[in-house]
Amino acid sequence: MTPLVAVAHGSRDPRAAAVAEALLHRVRLARPGLDVRVSYLDHVRPALTEALAPLAEAVVVPLLLTAAYHSKVDIPGALAGIGARVEVSPTLGPDPLLTAALERRLAEAGTAVGDPGTAVVLVSAGSSDPTANTTVRRIARDWARARPWWAVTTAFASASGPRPAEAVAMLRAAGAPRVVVAPYLLAPGFFADKVAREALAAGADLVADSLGPAPELVRIVLDRYDAAAAAAQSMSQRTGLSVSCVPSGR
C-alpha cells in the first residue's frame, strides 16, 4: 500500500501534536499494514518535506477541517520540487461524519443531540479565506435542518465574526433556553482555550471538547486516503506516467 503521510497545522501547544499522533495511532489500528506517518506545516517536526524525503510515493492527507490557505498554498508550496510521486487528498472537511463527531462531543458533555431547547454555536478558528468561512456557515445550516435544535449559528475565533462571546450573547438575547458551544477544532490549544473562556464568560452553558481522535475522524482520514490512492492508481494506469501532485480542496 502507498504510504499515508498526514500533515497537520502544527502548534507550540504540545496537546495539538498529541491529538494528531493519537488520531493516526487509531488509523494504524483500523488499517493494519498501512504505513502511516505524521508531518506538520509549522512549529513541530517533521515538516512535510522531511516526512516525504525517504519515500518514493505517498498519499498526503491534510488534517485540516476546511480548504483554505494552508491547503491551497502552503501544502502545494511545500511539495514543489519533491521527488516522490505524491497525491494530495482533499481536507477532512466538510464531511457529514464531522457533524457526527461534533454531536459525539456534545453528548459526552451532557447535551441531548437535537434537543429543541438547546441552541448550538458552531465555532471555527476562522480564516482569511472567505470560502472557508462560508463552508462553516453551510455546515451550521445543514445541521440546523437535520436536527430540531433551537438554533445553530456560527462563530469564529479569528479573522471573521461574530466571535464566540457575541454569538452566545445574541442567542441569549433571542431567548434561547440553553446555549452550548461545539468547537469545529481538531485539537486543544490556543484557540480552543480562548473559545471556552470567552463563551463561558458570555453565558454559555457548556463548551464541548475539540474533535480530537474521534472514530469519525479515523473514518474520514481513511476515506480520503482510499479515494486519493485510487485516483492516483487510475491516472497512472491511464497515462503510464508518474502520479502528479494534486492540491487538496480540488
Side-chain angles (χ1 to χ4, degrees), residues 95-116:
D95 192 293
L97 285 171
L98 285 174
T99 304
L102 291 165
E103 291 182 345
R104 174 187 294 275
R105 295 302 183 228
L106 284 171
E108 290 170 349
T111 296
V113 173
D115 174 27

Side-chain angles (χ1 to χ4, degrees), residues 69-88:
Y69 188 87
H70 294 307
S71 62
K72 296 176 181 178
V73 178
D74 287 344
I75 292 175
L79 293 175
I82 287 291
R85 299 184 300 276
V86 178
E87 179 81 4
V88 184

Side-chain angles (χ1 to χ4, degrees), residues 32-226:
L34 177 61
D35 183 357
V36 179
R37 307 185 183 203
V38 68
S39 65
Y40 300 91
L41 293 172
D42 202 4
H43 302 301
V44 186
R45 297 183 67 179
L48 179 56
T49 51
E50 293 173 324
L52 289 170
L55 300 175
E57 62 179 358
V59 169
V60 171
V61 178
L63 301 184
L64 305 170
L65 298 179
T66 55
Y69 188 87
H70 294 307
S71 62
K72 296 176 181 178
V73 178
D74 287 344
I75 292 175
L79 293 175
I82 287 291
R85 299 184 300 276
V86 178
E87 179 81 4
V88 184
S89 85
T91 55
L92 302 184
D95 192 293
L97 285 171
L98 285 174
T99 304
L102 291 165
E103 291 182 345
R104 174 187 294 275
R105 295 302 183 228
L106 284 171
E108 290 170 349
T111 296
V113 173
D115 174 27
T118 298
V120 179
V121 182
L122 178 65
V123 181
S124 168
S127 172
S128 58
D129 185 333
T131 304
N133 298 332
T134 297
T135 296
V136 177
R137 295 186 183 101
R138 188 184 311 118
I139 293 168
R141 288 196 300 269
D142 291 345
W143 199 6
R145 294 189 186 105
R147 298 289 192 187
W149 298 108
W150 195 88
V152 180
T153 190
T154 52
F156 301 92
S158 68
S160 184
R163 294 290 186 262
E166 294 170 335
V168 170
M170 286 188 288
L171 287 168
R172 286 296 190 198
R178 189 167 186 261
V179 179
V180 300
V181 174
Y184 190 69
L185 301 169
L186 183 62
F190 173 79
F191 280 138
D193 291 347
K194 182 173 184 287
V195 165
R197 183 172 60 252
E198 294 180 359
L200 291 171
D205 291 281
L206 65 85
V207 178
D209 287 339
S210 54
L211 293 166
E216 293 82 3
L217 270 75
V218 174
R219 288 176 57 191
I220 297 171
V221 169
L222 287 171
D223 285 349
R224 296 292 185 267
Y225 168 82
D226 288 339

